[in-house]
Amino acid sequence: MTGERRRSSDPTPNRAWNEALDALEGDVLAAEQTLARDRAEEIAAWGRRSTDWIPPSGLGPLPDDLRERAARLLQHQLAVAEDLVERITQSRKQRDVAARMNYGPSRPVASFIDRGL
């Protein structure tokens, strides 16, 4: 019991985890702001991110008193990720439809017919 108490009251793991969770929350809020601005290219950029989050070294196990915060953050991340995927998919569909639409002739069309008499 004493070891467990000392671990949960030790501020170092909590501080490191709080900083990591703060950084993740910042990313989620930035993604939400991007969605709110409704700029297709910015939204698409989130879809092109190719790096996964890598926990800082030496982070250790998640302290029990931060589990609820981490769980809420995870749910928030999943909701925002779902919104991003939906918006990216919509944008791609719109782009595909626009590409297929014929906005004008692809070759010159005669504007008159010259008939020989």
Side-chain angles (χ1 to χ4, degrees):
M1 282 274 182
T2 306
E4 287 180 33
R5 268 194 222 125
R6 190 170 61 226
R7 239 184 311 156
S8 65
S9 64
D10 182 4
T12 305
N14 282 10
R15 184 177 323 126
W17 268 104
N18 273 314
E19 289 172 2
L21 293 173
D22 287 345
L24 288 170
E25 285 174 341
D27 284 346
V28 172
L29 294 174
E32 279 185 318
Q33 290 170 355
T34 298
L35 287 168
R37 284 191 297 270
D38 200 29
R39 294 183 183 141
E41 188 53 40
E42 287 181 27
I43 293 169
W46 279 95
R48 289 189 298 267
R49 293 179 83 177
S50 62
T51 56
D52 290 331
W53 180 74
I54 299 171
S57 62
L59 201 53
L62 180 65
D64 289 337
D65 59 333
L66 294 178
R67 287 189 186 280
E68 185 177 330
R69 177 183 178 197
R72 282 193 315 268
L73 174 58
L74 176 60
Q75 292 305 312
H76 192 186
Q77 285 177 313
L78 292 173
V80 171
E82 187 176 316
D83 287 346
L84 281 168
V85 168
E86 183 178 324
R87 297 285 286 284
I88 290 167
T89 302
Q90 287 174 355
S91 178
R92 286 181 181 161
K93 285 179 182 177
Q94 289 172 352
R95 206 173 47 229
D96 290 347
V97 167
R100 283 184 269 149
M101 292 180 77
N102 188 2
Y103 286 109
S106 58
R107 60 178 190 210
V109 176
S111 57
F112 65 92
I113 299 175
D114 185 13
R115 291 187 198 179
L117 295 174

